[in-house]
Amino acid sequence: MGMLHIFIQIAIALLVFTHTKSCTQASTQTNGTVKKCIAHERSALLTFRAGLSDPANRLSSWEGGNCCQWKGVQCSNTTGHVVKLDLQGPDLNCDVQVLGGKISSSLIGLQHLQYLDLSCNRFNKEQIPEFLGSLHGLRYLDLSQSSFVGRIPPQLGNLSNLRYLNLNSIVGHSVDITWLSRLSSLQHLDMSWVNLSTITNWVSVVNKLPSLVSLDLSSCKLSTSPDSLLHSNLTSLESLSISANQFHKRIAPNWFWDLRSLKQLDVSFSQLHGPFPYELGNMTSLVQLDLSENNLVGMIPSNLKNLCNLEDLSLYKNNINGSITEFFNRLPSCSWNKLKRLFLPSSNLTGSLPAKLEPFRNLAWLYLSDNKLTGPVPLWVGQLSNLAELDLSSNNLDGALHEGHLSGLVNLERLSLADNSIAIRVNSTWVPLFNLTELELRSCPLGPKFPTWLRWQTNIKNLDISNTSISDMVPDWFWTTASSVDTLNMRTNQMSCFLSPKIELMRASGMDLSSNQFSGPIPKLSINLTDLDLSRNNFYGPLPLEFGAPMLETLFLYDNLISGTIPSSLCKLRRLRFLDLTGNKLTGTLPDCQDYESTTNMTGLNIRILSLRNNSLSGEFPLVFQYCQQLRFLDLSYNQFVGTLDSWIGNKLPSLAFMRLRHNKFCGHIPLGLTNLINLQYLDLAYNNLSGIIPKSIVNWKGMALRDEKDDESYDAMSSGISFDTNEMVEFNDNFTVVTKGQEQLYQGEIIYMVNLDLSFNNLTGEIPSEICTLVALNNLNLSWNAFSGKIPEKIGDLVQVESLDLSHNELSGEIPTSLSALTYLSHLNLSYNNLSGKIPSGNQLQVLDDQASIYVGNQGLCGPPLTKKCPEINLGPAAPEDHKDGSDNIFLFLGMSSGFVMGLWSAFCIFLFKTKWRNVCFTFYDASYDWVYVWLRCRR
Ligand SMILES: *[C@@H]1O[C@H](CO)[C@@H](O)[C@H](O)[C@H]1NC(C)=O
Ligand SMILES: *[C@@H]1O[C@H](CO)[C@@H](O)[C@H](O)[C@H]1NC(C)=O
Ligand SMILES: *[C@@H]1O[C@H](CO)[C@@H](O)[C@H](O)[C@H]1NC(C)=O
Ligand SMILES: *[C@@H]1O[C@H](CO)[C@@H](O)[C@H](O)[C@H]1NC(C)=O
Ligand SMILES: *[C@@H]1O[C@H](CO)[C@@H](O)[C@H](O)[C@H]1NC(C)=O
């Protein structure tokens, strides 16, 4: 969370670049002693207005004779000329309220105009009009963030009275800014976010502006920065921001160190390197200094004692690589009472915080997260009475905080001690004076008692007390206290109790109570909830009939004791992406959602990841998946599902990449349709009653055939345009066991990298199709305990990624292909109990596998090492007996007899009903009838 905070800081900083001034203030007009408007100026204004588009009617007051009373218009008290035109758009977010259209040259009629503000509007893709350069009276010109594009007209250089110029975010490439040097009265210049990448002389141009007080050229793609200025005109410059440029040079020498008048210097994100500059010591006016995100190395210089005005210091993400005590000692002591903000996360600060320190009386923000600080938090922290935010997260701090550390922090709003070993030991009756909005204590040893002082923190938006060794009942007041949190994280504790019905009234959008001892039924959820993790608890009873959280996207309830059926109200959770009910006691069939599908005009469910593993669910392969076009990961393993795998699976689940159906009672054969799942990379059908052959069309499983990440693009292109966000899976850290290399292995998110085909423990027959050798991305191939016959495919050695290969307990015959020795990743091989014969191939990986003999045991005809049986001098290779006793003959016989009848019937039916596309339809019907007949025979034996 410390990092998150830093990112927010950066985001805010970036916003500040783009938003250099507030765009929210609406112009108001005091009429006072209003002069009458001058007629030709009035008509100039009306012509100007006519060119504008004004969808929100912001200029509705622009009528009537006295234009001096129009909104945004201001006339001189003495002469009556229009002197000010302030049409700044409202808040950037209120896009609809902006002005657009064309800027009429009639504005030239306002020759006394001193102030023109058109910022924060949308003059879509218009160039800045050149004629603005003839409004010689202009002192203030703001065209920022109004979607102007193209060249900035050099005519603006004629505005010699200009004091203020803001061209922030003009989109375009400025090739020449020498015109700027003619604006000799200019005090404030903002050209941030204007592309000045080709301009090398920018410093000498701005050096011609002796009145300049503030200069903002951040994010201008500047690449040059001279070491020094021979003669500096910039004696009044107080604020310089050249952050987020690409100077690629040492931080010193650099021209800006000569600017002794600077109060604010921001050169963050500018690719500067070297040690912290000694020149800093001369910058006695500095109030605010930001050197963040450069590659500066080493301690700050020792000569800072005259920086007595310093209030705000940001050195985030440099490599100070020295002790925090030394760092504090080098901060100018004369500024200690002025310092408001110290921003030092990720700065490689070491050592413990000094035990004694003259407190920084004004310090409001202290960020020391993600350093290497050790030892206890000293008591002086408690004297920082102005502190609003304290972030010490991700260090190695320890010891305890008690009342003395906390009672004085009356203004504290945000406290993060996360990922340290800091305990909080306060009296159970202690009432803090602060009212926090954010509290992160992750991994701090708070327990075993639930912290009672939390009771008074009723304003918290973000509360993280995960992994804090709390082993206690959650007091009922807590759910009231937490009723206004946005995110609540209490995972990995030993908290117990039923969840209070008050949960329904909470505002939270995210709650993680996983890995605790919570029990009782799952209560109705609150309406704002999007992410809920209650996994690894003792919840029991049925799922709520109404979840009550229509926005829910993530619902993790795995490893609980939940029983009963899955309610059909789940069909209403249209945003649900991740659902994990693994390891419960659920029974019955899945709702088919058909009612919801026909009564709503929404198209399907949004579910991506679904795991129902390890329950007692039953019924056929659930029809609800017909509405789950987005489904990527499906785990129904270890349940009681029955019936056949239908061909529609291949057509209705185009995104499916992982299908785990292990340990169910599916029967029938592997339908051809299943091979339409081109994204399939993980298929586990082990321990079912599947029969028949492996179809040759498995070559379609591109997910198992594409080898490296480089192929991802083609992979996505093929996957019917639905791309797989792998991060989704990585975040999802349920544990999966995968049987590979002869044992169960535990996987978490990394399962997404596994390519697996496991058909073991079924009744599959026929030859192993040679097409299997095209699935070259396979890591694990397990066909054991079936009735496969014929030879091992010759090209088995093409499966170069295979780590585990198990063909044991089949009826395979013939010789072992020598290509097997090409499998260099192979670490587990089992060919035992087949009818293999001939000489065992040798070489490479085959030689180093463990337990050599057991790989080949139970094959009468095999000879040569590692077996003791010697091979005959001339190996004739005993012919494999070609007997098909496996019953598939019967099926084909039956089909042969009946298919004439069946096909005849279907064909007539098809032609009669479906004249168009009859071929397709009938093909499908034929496939289905084949399925049906086959299954009828197999499943009813
Ligand atoms: C400003 O002008 C409006 C419209 O003429 C009038 O209603 C209002 O009273 C004036 N305000 C002042 C302060 O004179
Ligand atoms: C014009 O008059 C208003 C109202 O009396 C006053 O606030 C403002 O300062 C005057 N402006 C000038 C330029 O004198
Ligand atoms: C300083 O500014 C003046 C006035 O704009 C200008 O004439 C002079 O050349 C500038 N000096 C340098 C070194 O640019
Ligand atoms: C400014 O700093 C530089 C480098 O440390 C030093 O050489 C110079 O004397 C200082 N100038 C003043 C005016 O202090
Ligand atoms: C911190 O300092 C160590 C040397 O003590 C260095 O190896 C490491 O790269 C530094 N870390 C960062 C983020 O600069």
Side-chain angles (χ1 to χ4, degrees), residues 495 510 516 535 567 601 653 675:
M495 298 186 197
N516 275 289
S535 59
N601 51 5
L653 294 172
T675 59

Side-chain angles (χ1 to χ4, degrees), residues 82 129 197 331 344 357 362 398 404 548 575 665-666 730 742 747 775 839 862 866:
V82 173
S197 59
L331 288 180
L344 305 166
L357 195 75
N362 268 311
D398 53 28
R575 293 171 180 233
K665 296 173 177 167
F666 289 113
V730 176
Y747 283 76
L775 307 180
K839 187 172 184 301
L862 286 178

